[in-house]
Amino acid sequence: KRTLLPLRRAEVSAVIFPCRLTVQPLELRNAMMELLECIAPLLLLLLAFFLDHVLFTTLSVIQQHSFVQYSFSSSHHLAVHVEGTSLMARLLRSTIGALNTSSDTQLETSNLACLPQPRGMTGQQYLGSCWPLALLALLCLAQVYTYRLRRVIAAFYFPKREKTRVLYFYNKLLEQRQSFIRRQQKLIARRAQEHPGLGTVLLKWCCQRWPSLRRWMRRSCTVCGAAETPQDQVCPTPACGAPYCTPCW
């Protein structure tokens, strides 16, 4: 309870408040790890969409440019005429005359039945493929709030254990409060020894090159990270100039 042990600004980031709707820093770290695990199925889904588009484009090109139509036409006429009235002529007309044939052939065919008939995915099908992954990402964010229910469920079934847990947490905060200044000094010293990131170096270079940019930049407290206010204090040590809010100072 705040009336019993009000937290300092630097201590707030180390505690999870179960009644807040926003995702808090400690929870955000776990949520980001869960979201990073969703990158693999996302890449797999994008690869499937890319392969589907490539195959559809390839088969469409084959269908448009590989169509071949054949047209075959033939005519066959055979006629044997035997003249005369003799017995031999009549015999030949009755035998060889059966060979007289006449045929006309007209054939048209194509390879349309052999060509592929690709069908592209519709927008609804794309959305249907993406919604499970979107649901997975939503569940990664929703589990932040479900994790908060673990303490409530445990406190309901084990009230004595919950009382012990609260007392331990309270005593732990008191111990940390006693060594607060020493811990913050070590934290600041460790931050000062760390190599600055690329963004910090670029920002510092811009401020040195254009000093007018300093007034548009808002610094934060070195201890708790609160935004700069007119009441902030600056470290008097030469070549330091670290800003501190009034409570941390």
Side-chain angles (χ1 to χ4, degrees), residues 7-197:
L7 298 177
R8 297 178 179 177
R9 288 182 178 178
E11 296 173 338
V12 171
S13 60
V15 181
I16 297 177
F17 297 89
C19 296
R20 289 185 180 178
L21 296 179
T22 58
V23 180
Q24 300 169 54
L26 291 178
E27 299 172 325
L28 183 62
R29 190 183 311 162
N30 296 329
M32 292 304 298
M33 294 300 298
E34 297 289 341
L35 290 176
L36 287 177
E37 295 180 359
C38 298
I39 294 180
L42 176 61
L43 294 178
L44 183 62
L45 186 63
L46 293 177
L47 179 61
F49 287 165
F50 175 74
L51 292 178
D52 173 78
H53 178 71
V54 170
L55 289 176
F56 174 74
T57 304
T58 304
L59 294 178
S60 298
V61 171
I62 294 175
Q63 181 190 24
Q64 295 175 5
H65 299 281
S66 299
F67 177 73
V68 179
Q69 186 174 10
Y70 302 91
S71 180
F72 176 75
S73 177
S74 66
S75 179
H76 176 73
H77 297 279
L78 177 63
V80 179
H81 300 280
V82 180
E83 298 180 353
T85 57
S86 64
L87 179 61
M88 183 59 69
R90 290 196 300 269
L91 181 60
L92 290 176
R93 277 196 295 268
S94 61
T95 55
I96 301 178
L99 299 176
N100 296 341
T101 57
S102 178
S103 63
D104 293 320
T105 304
Q106 189 72 27
L107 179 62
E108 291 187 1
T109 184
S110 65
N111 62 343
L112 183 62
C114 302
L115 292 178
Q117 305 293 330
R119 290 180 298 174
M121 292 180 62
T122 61
Q124 185 176 3
Q125 291 174 335
Y126 277 111
L127 292 177
S129 303
C130 293
W131 77 261
L133 187 60
L135 180 61
L136 179 61
L138 184 61
L139 290 177
C140 291
L141 297 176
Q143 76 173 2
V144 171
Y145 303 99
T146 58
Y147 280 169
R148 298 180 186 178
L149 297 177
R150 295 180 296 180
R151 186 194 63 84
V152 178
I153 297 173
F156 178 79
Y157 287 102
F158 305 99
K160 294 183 178 180
R161 185 68 177 177
E162 171 67 8
K163 191 174 183 179
T164 305
R165 192 196 73 85
V166 172
L167 289 176
Y168 170 78
F169 181 60
Y170 176 70
N171 293 328
K172 181 181 178 181
L173 287 178
L174 288 180
E175 293 176 359
Q176 292 179 352
R177 182 67 58 84
Q178 293 176 356
S179 61
F180 177 78
I181 296 179
R182 186 170 61 255
R183 288 188 298 105
Q184 293 302 325
Q185 286 176 347
K186 292 181 180 179
L187 178 62
I188 294 173
R190 187 168 62 251
R191 288 178 180 175
Q193 294 175 358
E194 292 178 354
H195 183 72

